[in-house]
Amino acid sequence: MSFDLQGFPADSEALATLSARGLAYRLVDTRDAAATDAWVQADFRGFHHARPRPIDLEFDRGMLADRRVHGVYDPTIADPAVPVATVSSWPTGLSVPGGRSVDAWAVSSVTVSPTHRRRGIARALMLAELQNARAAGAALAMLTATEATIYGRYGYAPAARSATVYVDRRRAHWVGPDAPGRVQFVDAASVREIAPALARRAVARTPGEIDRWPGLLDRVLGLHDPEGERSRSRRVVRYDDERGHPQGFAVFHVTREPNEPGVAEFDFFAAATDDAERALWRFLVEQDYVSGTRGLLRSVDEPLPWLLEDPRAITLTDVVDHLWLRVIDPVAALAARRYSTAGRLVIDVTDPVGIAAGRFELVVDDAGRAEVTAIDSAEAAASVKGARGIRLGVGELGAIYLGGVHPSVLARAGRISETSPRSIELADRMFASQRTPHLSIWF
Ligand SMILES: CC(C)(COP(=O)(O)OP(=O)(O)OC[C@H]1O[C@@H](n2cnc3c(N)ncnc32)[C@H](O)[C@@H]1OP(=O)(O)O)[C@@H](O)C(=O)NCCC(=O)NCCS
């Protein structure tokens, strides 16, 4: 998806709405260091972080050069150069069932200053992002949310969950197969060179992962701030297969309590093969002088319980919605993924914002490939008469899209209905994903 991030002006509707409230909505020129630094100050404050250091500002300037960045400015405040609201966004692929990637629009850095909250600023920004996503040709918009009550009203819904996995060291006895390669410590800078290609391969294996987060690898590897305390505590391990080819890496650190063993904690884990996945897990759970291993943002469906003698060594906590999707273009989104069963289904979508509303015919062949047609004529409507069909809102479509939520569960919740008998059952089978969707990072 090639797209000029600065190639079109700020959304006119947001501009008008906010201007009526005495506020200026602006596309930030990320080549302007002062304007970008002021925006970063507001973003840090919005998420209750400490003030950014010069090294943080420098890093964020580089990262934001790859994003479309908007701020909302109030000319009447003490420091009018600092925005009272922020948002940034960029195009990226999202892995879908079947191993392909769909063009999506990642939305991040949504903050509104506590001095300006609940005046509809976030609403104006979020609606504008749907238009940006459309202008970029994205099939979906997506985000990760600090709170689960914010984004449903704009048509987003949780599509992939994540969990914290804790493994008790004393009970972690490995019974899984040995991987034929080996795990070794490597320095972060050497992994940086191979990481993008490796991460892309890893991401393609799991629906729900995204393939582009400008700056992410530098951050997880601690390269943005090599002498910072957090970066220095990080250790990087790489798995090489039996031919010596790197197939995965993980970044972890060991927490330290006075006179207590620590916990080996990791927040980045990329495995391009099953061997790499098993070998890295084994390395991480078999640390000495720790009381356990904690994996953040892990899948709710890890193979780990089947690799340990005692599956109760594992505790899953913080099982939460993590990836939120908002369908923008139902035809492109539905056609991008593969399906688990052949069939024909008519999908009626309602959308309060109007962007994705319509009737669509989904025809899936024996290989799971889809053909999707918008039913926008009387003739087309006649041709699908009597076909199995479901009715749902745009949020529900986002929820079932990756196969992480069964349509029948949403039907039981009264959020999807069928237009003919056994349509929900067919939808369950078609939308199922062989691999549970999962997103392993925040963005
Ligand atoms: C979340 C946030 C951006 C909302 O900004 P805001 O300008 O106050 O929101 P708006 O005034 O546009 O509110 C729009 C709607 O969302 C609701 N809403 C906003 N924030 C909400 C929250 N945190 N929880 C529940 N509802 C919320 C409002 O009540 C309003 O509802 P309505 O449309 O039914 O009237 C702001 O609270 C914030 O900066 N929070 C801290 C940073 C953060 O968590 N950002 C989200 C990153 S994922």
Side-chain angles (χ1 to χ4, degrees):
M1 180 175 173
S2 67
F3 173 64
D4 178 2
L5 288 163
Q6 307 285 334
F8 60 99
D11 179 64
S12 58
E13 203 164 319
L15 211 72
T17 307
L18 292 167
S19 146
R21 290 167 205 177
L23 301 166
Y25 171 63
R26 283 209 293 269
L27 182 60
V28 176
D29 179 353
T30 52
R31 290 161 305 185
D32 178 339
T36 308
D37 286 358
W39 186 95
V40 175
Q41 301 278 0
D43 182 33
F44 270 55
R45 191 177 61 195
F47 284 109
H48 310 314
H49 298 323
R51 279 193 307 277
R53 300 162 301 165
I55 200 169
D56 299 318
L57 292 171
E58 193 188 331
F59 175 74
D60 275 23
R61 253 181 259 133
M63 176 190 87
L64 292 170
D66 264 342
R67 297 188 185 189
R68 193 168 154 88
V69 177
H70 288 90
V72 177
Y73 298 83
D74 181 344
T76 65
I77 61 173
D79 191 353
V82 176
V84 296
T86 60
V87 62
S88 72
S89 42
W90 69 97
T92 169
L94 166 74
S95 299
V96 294
R100 286 173 65 196
S101 150
V102 63
D103 289 341
W105 185 249
V107 180
S108 184
S109 333
V110 179
T111 74
V112 172
S113 165
T115 53
H116 288 67
R117 65 192 284 279
R118 305 301 183 270
R119 300 184 195 176
I121 298 179
R123 168 171 289 278
L125 296 181
M126 292 311 297
L127 295 179
E129 285 308 321
L130 300 182
Q131 298 305 335
N132 286 339
R134 193 143 83 155
L140 304 124
M142 60 191 181
L143 47 80
T144 51
T146 52
E147 296 182 87
T149 45
I150 303 173
Y151 297 110
R153 55 178 55 73
Y154 311 116
Y156 290 84
R161 292 180 300 162
S162 75
T164 299
V165 174
Y166 181 79
V167 185
D168 183 338
R169 176 65 189 100
R170 284 162 309 170
R171 298 169 73 175
H173 177 225
W174 190 265
V175 292
D178 287 329
R182 69 171 182 174
V183 174
Q184 57 186 313
F185 282 104
V186 288
D187 73 86
S190 76
V191 166
R192 182 66 183 88
E193 284 164 34
I194 56 158
L198 233 174
R200 262 196 305 279
R201 285 171 55 217
V203 155
R205 300 171 79 221
T206 307
E209 297 276 21
I210 73 166
D211 63 24
R212 209 168 148 263
W213 188 128
L216 174 76
L217 290 169
D218 289 321
R219 183 166 284 178
V220 295
L221 290 166
L223 294 169
H224 69 302
D225 177 19
E227 291 313 311
E229 191 59 30
R230 199 173 143 77
S231 302
R232 288 193 306 112
S233 70
R234 297 189 150 216
R235 307 283 177 199
V236 185
V237 284
R238 190 184 74 204
Y239 173 77
D240 298 339
D241 65 18
E242 61 274 44
R243 287 167 304 152
H245 298 154
Q247 300 292 1
F249 68 98
V251 187
F252 74 104
H253 71 282
V254 178
T255 63
R256 276 277 164 257
E257 305 299 328
N259 304 320
E260 293 280 340
V263 172
E265 182 171 292
F266 66 97
D267 60 4
F268 197 83
F269 183 110
T273 64
D274 289 346
D275 280 342
E277 184 176 9
R278 287 193 293 265
L280 289 170
W281 261 120
R282 181 169 191 173
F283 171 86
L284 290 161
V285 302
E286 285 189 342
Q287 299 289 310
D288 288 328
Y289 189 38
V290 297
S291 51
T293 298
R294 188 182 299 119
L296 306 180
L297 294 184
R298 300 315 312 159
S299 171
V300 294
D301 196 18
E302 295 280 344
L304 189 64
W306 304 96
L307 294 167
L308 300 181
E309 178 186 46
D310 181 358
R312 294 189 194 172
I314 302 163
T315 315
L316 238 59
T317 56
D318 306 322
V319 180
V320 286
D321 57 86
H322 183 49
L323 173 69
W324 289 64
L325 292 185
R326 203 292 178 198
V327 176
I328 300 288
D329 178 347
V331 172
L334 289 166
R337 59 157 290 181
R338 292 288 176 100
Y339 295 81
S340 288
T341 305
R344 179 174 180 231
L345 194 67
V346 175
I347 304 180
D348 269 292
V349 183
T350 54
D351 180 355
V353 181
I355 292 177
R359 276 188 106 190
F360 307 92
E361 183 190 22
L362 170 67
V363 180
V364 172
D365 69 15
D366 288 338
R369 275 188 299 261
E371 248 187 58
V372 187
T373 322
I375 302 168
D376 47 14
S377 65
E379 202 185 345
S383 77
V384 296
K385 206 158 178 274
R388 294 212 207 158
I390 58 173
R391 275 200 199 99
L392 75 183
V394 66
E396 286 71 28
L397 183 60
I400 67 171
Y401 178 65
L402 294 175
V405 179
H406 296 303
S408 57
V409 170
L410 294 184
R412 279 158 58 202
R415 295 179 64 151
I416 294 186
S417 60
E418 57 188 8
T419 55
S420 59
R422 303 193 47 215
S423 299
I424 299 276
E425 184 218 305
L426 176 64
D428 264 3
R429 286 190 284 117
M430 289 174 81
F431 277 83
S433 165
Q434 191 205 359
R435 195 156 171 148
T436 303
H438 169 221
L439 171 69
S440 60
I441 56 167
W442 282 100
F443 67 82

